[in-house]
Amino acid sequence: MLNAFRNFTKSRYGLIIVFVFLGLLAIAFAASDVTGMRQGLSGASSGTLATVAGQDVTERQVRERLERYIRAAQAQGQNVTMAQVLAQGGFEAALNDAVNTAAVQAFANQNGMAVGKKLVDTEIANNPQFAGMDGKFSQQTFEQLLAQNRFTPAQFREGMTTQRYAAWLIGPMALRGAPPAGVVTPYVATLLERRTGIVGFVQSLAMDPGPAPDANTLAGYYAQNRSRYQVPERRIVRYALAQPDVLKAQATPTEAEIAAAYKKDAAKYAASEKRGVELVQAISQSVAAKVAAAAKGGDLAGAAKSAGLEARTIEASDKAGLAKQVSAPFADAAFAAPATGMQGPVQLGGAWFVYRVSKVEKIAARALDQVRAEVSDEVAKRKLAALLADSRQAIEDAVGDGATFDEAVAKAKLTAVRSPALIANGTDPDNAAYQPDATVAAVMKAGFGFEQAGDEPQVVPVGKDGSFALVSLEKVVPAAPRPLAQITEKVKADYLLDQALAKARTAATAMLPKLQKGEPMAQALANVGAAKGAPPKPFDFKRSELRGKENFIQMAFDMPAKTARLVEAPNRGGYYVVYVDTIQPGNVASDPQGPQALQSVTQALGQMGAQEYERQFTASLVSTLKVRRNEAAIARLRADLQRNGGQ
């Protein structure tokens, strides 16, 4: 994911606008909403982290940039968390981007640049994402999309303004010409370089590790490798669940409530009608008349096709549904039209229609006795939701008034549960069989949000059905290595494996001079007692084919010909011994892949050059302007994100 994050911050206009322009335009209307993401991110103070030429860079701006990156990555199917983003430099990238953005704005303002409201309005109006059903700009669609993606119109306009400044100032940096062939050709030749050789494997398991360690040796080995046996910080929490099942008995509706609900929704149960229609929508009266004339024989679909249009068929729909699918004027006309015969051409709501009612479905009124079960179920659900909300509010009020966890639980008549000592993801390092359910996972996430035991209890949601839990931190078990007495056999096995690995390295090292003198790989392995395992494997690759290859194959492309090197295998499995036999330099002119590689590298170097110009230009803006960083505020925000978002 680190590469994905770095690539994300190297867009056309670099770090300047990646979180502003792409965040506001691409992410806002391509990324789906992430439920719950606002918790721990929104509602932040707007404390100042830095000032650039008198312009503030706030906590809110940095948090929003981080949130937009996470939402964009998750919308692309990446399971990205705040903890991962922070661990891989996301905070620093977001902060630097906010500083760079402020620098662009300040520099533009100092030099008399201004983005007019009319320009921004025009770009918004021409954005197809904001078009309504008629293809024109829709204020309602605009506001709905912004609301869905948690932007205010002011924030969006601010982002559009910043993007325009960046385009004016930095855009020309991306218009550099392609790099000359003399620069590109050596890179392409390197990619086309071909190497051959052979790889042998000296297995740790093939080595004799020697005698088992005595107590003193084992204790010394354990002391040197304590970090291997480290158990992460664990926490013990107490929690009490409030679930719908517990309150269902209290949510049983009375006859009076059922009758009142039926009366309130009388229109829902009254006699109604649904209609199916077949229609053709035309852009002009003449076209509609042509369709109507051709449809006199009854084939509306064929008539539409002959006019270059397509007929729509809508199955049984009520009037409101038809209005939503077509338009309110059309729905009024369709429900007033006779059940047979072609209608039109007729202008309805600005469009011309030819249509016919294909089906009329009468729905009889339903008496209370006929829908009692349905109404009762709806009333019960509403009462249950209200009871859960009231219960939660009562618990929060009690805690706010100073009630302890036990007092709040007793008052709410809930049952307290004590968790084992669990790590942040809810698993138990001492019990591999323990599998946390979604409730425990949510509770432990809250438990790791406390600063210390004894902090005020917190109410957290734990289920989509409205369930919640009151959570209190009882104890923090610091990270520490497991005692040697508990893992003696594990440590002993690790000791013996390390001894075998050391002997494998000695054997592999002894092979190197022999291979460089021409001894075959198989013979060299046999001579050092490492003939067991898979036979040596030859290789023949171009440098351009290295993506996804093992690290020992990649190492072969950093070695001279007729030389040998070794590299440790994963999980202390042994050592790979690599011998490079031949190196064939790449030839752009004669290699079949040469032209395509030349084109790809030319484009890539051009983009890299443009990005470097952009970065250098941005850096010069920042260095020119007066930038003051509030290191204390920056440290507080970083710690807050790690504590609340990194769980």
Side-chain angles (χ1 to χ4, degrees):
M1 196 198 75
L2 180 57
N3 287 334
F5 180 73
R6 287 172 175 166
N7 291 335
F8 188 80
T9 61
K10 293 177 182 178
S11 65
R12 174 175 172 80
Y13 295 115
L15 288 176
I16 294 282
I17 58 171
V18 66
F19 288 101
V20 178
F21 181 49
L22 295 183
L24 289 170
L25 294 181
I27 297 172
F29 307 114
S32 60
D33 194 23
V34 181
T35 303
M37 187 63 67
R38 296 296 283 178
Q39 183 175 353
L41 287 174
S42 63
S45 69
S46 57
T48 301
L49 303 180
T51 58
V52 182
Q55 185 164 329
D56 289 345
V57 174
T58 66
E59 290 186 16
R60 177 184 61 81
Q61 293 169 341
V62 173
R63 287 177 182 265
E64 286 176 351
R65 281 162 168 77
L66 290 168
E67 179 180 357
R68 288 171 198 153
Y69 168 67
I70 293 174
R71 292 173 63 195
Q74 291 182 342
Q76 296 170 4
Q78 301 179 41
N79 187 21
V80 180
T81 65
M82 177 62 74
Q84 291 172 314
V85 172
L86 296 177
Q88 297 175 16
F91 178 82
E92 289 72 19
L95 177 59
N96 290 339
D97 170 61
V99 170
N100 291 342
T101 299
V104 169
Q105 293 172 331
F107 184 84
N109 293 335
Q110 288 180 0
N111 287 274
M113 298 176 68
V115 177
K117 181 177 182 297
K118 186 175 181 180
L119 175 61
V120 174
D121 288 343
T122 300
E123 292 189 355
I124 292 175
N126 291 333
N127 190 324
Q129 296 287 353
F130 304 137
M133 294 184 64
D134 59 357
K136 299 179 180 179
F137 173 76
S138 168
Q139 183 69 26
Q140 182 180 6
T141 302
F142 172 69
E143 294 177 355
Q144 286 177 346
L145 284 173
L146 292 187
Q148 288 170 9
N149 293 278
R150 305 164 192 175
F151 292 109
T152 65
Q155 287 175 320
F156 187 79
R157 289 177 180 277
E158 180 184 355
M160 294 283 290
T161 300
T162 303
Q163 180 271 331
R164 179 54 57 185
Y165 286 145
W168 287 341
L169 291 171
I170 305 173
M173 298 296 106
L175 301 179
R176 300 287 170 179
V183 173
V184 178
T185 301
Y187 284 97
V188 178
T190 301
L191 289 175
L192 299 177
E193 174 189 282
R194 180 180 292 277
R195 297 193 175 205
T196 66
I198 192 167
V199 179
F201 185 41
V202 181
Q203 288 183 304
S204 297
L205 295 179
M207 302 290 109
D208 179 10
D214 57 27
N216 289 336
T217 301
L218 194 64
Y221 176 82
Y222 171 79
Q224 293 174 357
N225 296 277
R226 288 167 62 91
S227 60
R228 284 188 185 178
Y229 311 107
Q230 189 86 349
V231 179
E233 178 184 303
R234 291 170 289 167
R235 294 193 172 194
I236 299 172
V237 301
R238 296 180 69 205
Y239 62 95
L241 293 176
Q243 297 174 302
D245 288 345
V246 179
L247 298 172
K248 272 187 177 180
Q250 302 177 45
T252 302
T254 65
E255 284 299 320
E257 290 171 332
I258 294 174
Y262 176 80
K263 183 177 180 181
K264 181 179 179 181
D265 293 335
K268 179 179 178 182
Y269 306 110
S272 61
E273 180 180 300
K274 289 186 177 182
R275 293 197 168 197
V277 294
E278 188 178 8
L279 68 127
V280 175
Q281 183 173 346
I283 59 175
S284 67
Q285 183 179 8
S286 60
V287 174
K290 181 180 177 181
V291 173
K296 286 182 178 179
D299 185 7
L300 183 57
K305 188 173 182 181
S306 65
L309 302 175
E310 184 176 350
R312 292 176 59 189
T313 298
I314 298 176
E315 300 298 335
S317 173
D318 60 19
K319 192 173 182 179
L322 191 58
K324 187 174 182 180
Q325 294 182 68
V326 186
S327 69
F330 178 82
D332 290 338
F335 270 78
T340 59
M342 202 70 63
Q343 307 296 321
V346 59
Q347 187 175 27
L348 300 169
W352 287 89
F353 291 91
V354 179
Y355 69 96
R356 67 179 171 194
V357 178
S358 58
K359 180 171 60 175
V360 176
E361 181 182 337
K362 299 287 187 178
I363 301 174
R366 292 182 290 170
L368 175 57
D369 288 341
Q370 294 175 291
V371 295
R372 184 178 299 277
E374 177 184 335
V375 177
S376 176
D377 185 57
E378 291 179 357
V379 173
K381 288 180 179 178
R382 288 198 294 267
K383 289 187 67 176
L384 185 57
L387 286 169
L388 277 170
D390 291 343
S391 176
R392 176 168 181 164
Q393 188 62 53
I395 292 174
E396 290 178 339
D397 290 344
V399 171
D401 290 338
T404 65
F405 173 82
D406 290 319
E407 290 170 344
V409 168
K411 185 176 181 180
K413 297 181 180 179
L414 300 177
T415 301
V417 179
R418 185 176 184 271
S419 77
L422 306 176
I423 61 177
N425 65 5
T427 58
D428 185 352
D430 294 330
N431 182 6
Y434 180 84
Q435 294 296 324
D437 56 21
T439 296
V440 172
V443 165
M444 291 310 300
K445 182 176 181 179
F448 272 79
F450 291 100
E451 292 189 4
Q452 59 187 4
D455 282 354
E456 181 180 282
Q458 299 292 322
V459 176
V460 298
V462 295
K464 295 181 179 179
D465 60 356
S467 301
F468 63 89
L470 181 65
V471 183
S472 176
L473 176 61
E474 180 177 296
K475 183 179 181 181
V476 176
V477 182
R482 295 186 185 279
L484 176 58
Q486 292 181 5
I487 53 172
T488 300
E489 294 304 316
K490 166 66 176 171
V491 178
K492 185 182 296 183
D494 285 344
Y495 171 84
L496 293 174
L497 182 57
D498 278 359
Q499 296 301 305
L501 180 66
K503 292 186 177 181
R505 181 180 180 86
T506 300
T509 302
M511 293 172 59
L512 301 183
K514 298 178 181 180
L515 292 170
Q516 292 175 170
K517 290 179 181 179
E519 186 172 289
M521 180 70 74
Q523 183 178 339
L525 287 168
N527 288 341
V528 297
K532 294 181 181 180
K537 185 176 180 179
F539 62 85
D540 182 353
F541 294 110
K542 289 182 179 179
R543 188 180 294 271
S544 60
E545 300 169 340
L546 288 183
R547 182 184 296 273
K549 293 294 188 294
E550 298 89 342
N551 64 336
F552 53 83
I553 294 296
Q554 297 186 21
M555 182 182 72
F557 281 79
D558 292 328
M559 299 166 52
K562 308 301 181 183
T563 61
R565 289 183 187 174
L566 59 87
V567 61
E568 185 176 345
N571 304 317
R572 295 179 288 171
Y575 283 87
Y576 292 104
V577 181
V578 181
Y579 177 76
V580 175
D581 186 18
T582 66
I583 300 177
Q584 179 183 339
N587 190 310
V588 179
S590 62
D591 195 299
Q593 297 178 350
Q596 181 179 356
L598 188 65
Q599 180 180 359
S600 298
V601 173
T602 299
Q603 184 178 19
L605 289 179
Q607 291 175 346
M608 292 173 61
Q611 291 170 0
E612 183 59 28
Y613 279 122
E614 294 162 15
R615 283 190 287 269
Q616 293 296 334
F617 181 80
T618 304
S620 70
L621 289 186
V622 174
S623 64
T624 300
L625 301 170
K626 191 172 184 179
V627 179
R628 292 182 177 177
R629 290 167 56 100
N630 185 342
E631 297 297 345
I634 292 171
R636 282 197 302 271
L637 177 58
R638 183 188 289 108
D640 182 56
L641 288 168
Q642 290 172 337
R643 181 171 58 252
N644 295 326
Q647 303 303 329

